[in-house]
């Protein structure tokens, strides 16, 4: 909003909705809205404001959810959160037990969200991003695992004797009852609690299936015992052993799920709790939250760097491997940038703090990884729709099996066994865990290698890429060009270099930096005027002379003839040099000479291109350089297709042109002028060390400037996609095969319980195999 008219328009749009009263404040940019949440959804308010031509500020909250057991629980929590006024989107991850809630800023009250989760039958805690709070949540997870271990040991101790009749040893019926009852109602109480919460919410889940199955076996046996029919079969052992086996499965699943979050836990463990700050000459240890920008921080040998900053004093080697995947410690001295969370070597460092809190590199990395792990891949949405009908379908199949055995075969015992087996073997957990566990392990493995994946969509699309477009400067080359040749025409070499340097003192282009570096020590004329021509060069006025520096296109536009140097420049371009033409425009257009610059190719670029080609990807180099220069670099790298002489604004159009040919395109770049192309590509990949805008636009960010990571990113995407497909296949196959076998009496309840327990564990364990994936530098894709 910019004026009172805007405020009036927003107010009018809101009050046009029946039952809504609104007052809009221009100064605070807030709307005070009263409405009945039963009649009016917050989304209707947002749509009204959007239709008036304005936007609504949003915010995100993270919750740690406890008590979920299967995919149907996920759906229930999502529905509960989505019903809270102000919430526009809620995504719950079963594997990480996290909920990400997005909504209207000011309406997203944590207390309301937690209350909604509790009404749905679960517990929730707000994730604040605070270091100590995160440590408490991780400690609570460890305590929960210890409690599950004790519960499992108790259930196992009571269940094992119930298996003695299977080896020919008789066990009195009353002793079977005595042993089975605590297993059923004490150690198995969690299933009854979960089932009751599901029924109260008018839905079903895994707990309900377990309770129905084991309770049927237990109470049928109890009724026979009380009626004195102890000569026939009793199923106390089936009920108790099934509960114990499912507890085993849950314990193994919990341990496996903790392993899927190992990457996040490793990153969180990097965050120091305190920092040693020097203020007014006094060294003080303070909480990390008390450190502010500009503080001087002292880091001793072997300690973690608590903050992002610049080295003011000292020399050392710093290990950044857990942040960037770089295996070798990096030398640091005064003037170098350092990253919080990395480990100091043998030297003492004094660091001036530049970034703190959520803006710190480590916090941003953790946020990116958590965001990727919290969101759902497109395939998971289909699975969610299937699991919504899963429990009712299982109950119907169990009922049909029961009636079939009882009414057709006339065998009540067999009918009960078949129904129990069906309910016990059905496993909605494996369906709910297949996708998120693979995503969590895959994004974690990628993060350890220095590859940050912004969202599951980027990961899922990356495996489909068939074309990779590589920007030349700063991606395939070092991005630090140096002057190699100076070709004057009619003026001394030093004068040509001084003019070119003076004209480019107003430019931030890497080529300008190369000229200025070469001209150090020369007396430069005063820059009086400067104008940039993106993709072509610049014009400037130096000490009264109008100068033009750029490519052939700019020279032609300014009517400068360059035939006298064309042959020599062409020879340099054929050897990969980038050439800047220098001319004077007054009193008439006159060529003064040319300056050749070489940008060294990165040592790993050729191997990186070979890796991409080995993965079956077509590689294309995109550059603003002249065709001859681009062709020379491409030939050295083994790239067959080159798109040269492209203006910055045309890069996105080139990406769209390739997409129009039916290609799935990945774009790799590092600069501000690459951002539109990164956004236009199916997957944008930003090189580390590049601009923030490029990294914010891209779906994948490489934490170090190494093109080898491009192939690694696509390789881990393919590996993760394969694990998702495998997990879903086995989850569906298991349920489709297992339930019919149980219904026709080929599986007894104990075998069904064991199979159900192992199904989720097998899905998670299969996903955990992704942790063995290694990047190219460490063993190939």
């Amino acid at each position: 909003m910019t004026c009172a008219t805007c405020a009036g328009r927003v107010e009018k749009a809101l009050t046009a909705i029946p039952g809504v009263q609104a007052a809009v404040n221009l100064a605070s940019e807030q709307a005070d809205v009263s409405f009945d949440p039963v009649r009016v959804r917050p989304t209707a308010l947002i749509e009204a404001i959007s239709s008036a031509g304005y936007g609504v500020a949003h915010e995100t909250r993270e919750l740690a959810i406890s008590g979920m057991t299967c995919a149907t629980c996920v759906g229930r929590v999502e529905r509960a959160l989505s019903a809270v006024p102000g919430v526009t989107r809620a995504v719950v991850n079963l594997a990480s037990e996290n909920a990400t809630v997005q909504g209207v800023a000011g309406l997203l009250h944590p207390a309301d969200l937690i209350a909604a989760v509790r009404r749905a039958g679960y517990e929730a805690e707000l994730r604040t991003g605070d270091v100590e709070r995160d440590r408490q949540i991780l400690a609570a997870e460890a305590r929960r695992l210890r409690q599950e271990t004790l519960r499992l040991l108790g259930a196992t101790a009571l269940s094992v004797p119930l298996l003695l009749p299977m080896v020919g040893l008789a066990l009195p019926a009353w002793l079977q009852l005595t042993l089975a009852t605590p297993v059923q109602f004490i150690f198995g109480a969690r299933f009854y609690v979960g089932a009751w919460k599901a029924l109260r919410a008018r839905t079903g889940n895994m707990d309900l299936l377990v309770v129905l199955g084991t309770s049927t076996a237990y109470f049928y046996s109890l009724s026979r015992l009380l009626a004195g029919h102890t000569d026939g079969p009793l199923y106390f052992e089936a009920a108790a052993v099934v509960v114990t086996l499912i507890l085993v499965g849950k314990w193994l699943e919990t341990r496996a799920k903790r392993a899927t979050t190992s990457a996040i836990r490793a990153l969180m463990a990097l965050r120091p709790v305190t920092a040693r700050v020097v203020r007014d000459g006094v060294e003080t240890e303070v909480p990390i939250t008390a450190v502010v920008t500009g503080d001087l921080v002292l880091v001793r040998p072997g300690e973690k760097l608590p903050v992002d900053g610049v080295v003011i004093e000292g020399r050392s080697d710093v290990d950044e491997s857990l942040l960037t995947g770089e295996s070798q410690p990096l030398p640091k001295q005064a003037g170098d940038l350092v990253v919080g969370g990395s480990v100091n070597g043998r030297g003492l460092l004094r660091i001036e703090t530049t970034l703190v809190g959520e803006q710190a590199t480590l916090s941003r990395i953790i946020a990116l990884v958590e965001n990727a792990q919290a969101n759902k891949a497109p395939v998971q949405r289909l699975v969610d729709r299937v699991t919504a009908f899963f429990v009712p379908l299982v109950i119907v199949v169990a009922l049909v099996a029961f009636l079939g055995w009882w009414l057709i075969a006339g065998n009540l015992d067999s009918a009960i066994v078949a129904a129990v087996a069906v309910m016990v073997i059905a496993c909605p957990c494996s369906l709910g865990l297949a996708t998120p566990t693979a995503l969590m392990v895959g994004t974690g493995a990628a993060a350890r290698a220095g590859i940050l994946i912004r969202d599951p969509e980027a990961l899922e699309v990356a495996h489909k890429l068939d074309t990779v477009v590589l920007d030349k400067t700063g991606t395939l080359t070092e991005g630090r060009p140096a002057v190699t040749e100076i070709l004057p025409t009619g003026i001394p070499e030093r004068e040509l270099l001084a003019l070119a340097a003076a004209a480019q003192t107003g430019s931030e282009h890497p080529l300008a930096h190369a000229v200025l570096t070469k001209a150090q020590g020369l007396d430069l004329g005063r820059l009086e005027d400067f104008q940039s021509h993106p993709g072509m060069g610049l014009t400037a006025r130096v000490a009264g002379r109008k100068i033009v520096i750029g490519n052939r296109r700019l020279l032609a536009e300014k009517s400068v003839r360059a035939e006298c140097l064309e042959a020599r420049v062409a020879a340099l371009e054929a050897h990969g040099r980038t050439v800047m033409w220098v001319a004077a425009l007054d009193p008439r257009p006159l060529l003064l000479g040319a300056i050749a610059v070489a940008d060294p190719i990165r040592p790993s670029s050729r191997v990186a291109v070979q890796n991409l080609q080995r993965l079956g990807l077509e590689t294309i180099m995109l550059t603003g350089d002249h065709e001859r220069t681009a062709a020379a670099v491409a030939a050295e790298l083994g790239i067959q297709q080159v798109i040269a002489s492209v203006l910055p604004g045309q890069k996105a159009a080139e990406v769209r042109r390739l997409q129009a040919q039916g290609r799935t395109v990945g774009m790799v770049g590092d600069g501000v002028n690459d951002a539109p192309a990164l956004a236009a590509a199916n997957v944008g990949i930003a090189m580390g060390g590049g601009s923030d805008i490029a990294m914010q636009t891209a779906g994948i960010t490489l934490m170090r400037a190494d093109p080898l990571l491009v192939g690694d990113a696509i390789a881990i995407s393919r590996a993760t996609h394969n694990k998702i497909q495998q997990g879903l296949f086995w989850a569906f196959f298991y349920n489709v095969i297992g339930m019919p076998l149980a219904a026709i009496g080929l599986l007894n309840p104990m075998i069904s319980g064991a199979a159900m327990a192992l199904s989720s564990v097998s899905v998670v364990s299969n996903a955990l195999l992704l942790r063995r994936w290694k990047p190219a530098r460490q063993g190939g894709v």
Side-chain angles (χ1 to χ4, degrees), residues 566-587:
E566 184 61 52
R568 295 173 66 188
V569 167
L572 290 170
E573 289 175 337
H575 286 86
R577 303 289 194 268
T578 299
V579 177
M580 294 176 282
W581 300 85
V582 184
L585 296 182
D586 52 8

Side-chain angles (χ1 to χ4, degrees), residues 274-279 284 286-297 306-310 351-357 359-360:
T274 61
R276 196 175 291 103
V277 178
V278 179
R279 292 174 179 162
T284 311
V286 300
I288 193 68
T289 51
V291 180
V292 298
T293 302
D295 270 344
L296 187 64
V297 175
V307 295
D308 288 13
V310 179
I351 300 167
E352 182 181 341
T353 304
T354 56
L355 293 172
V356 295
Q359 298 304 313

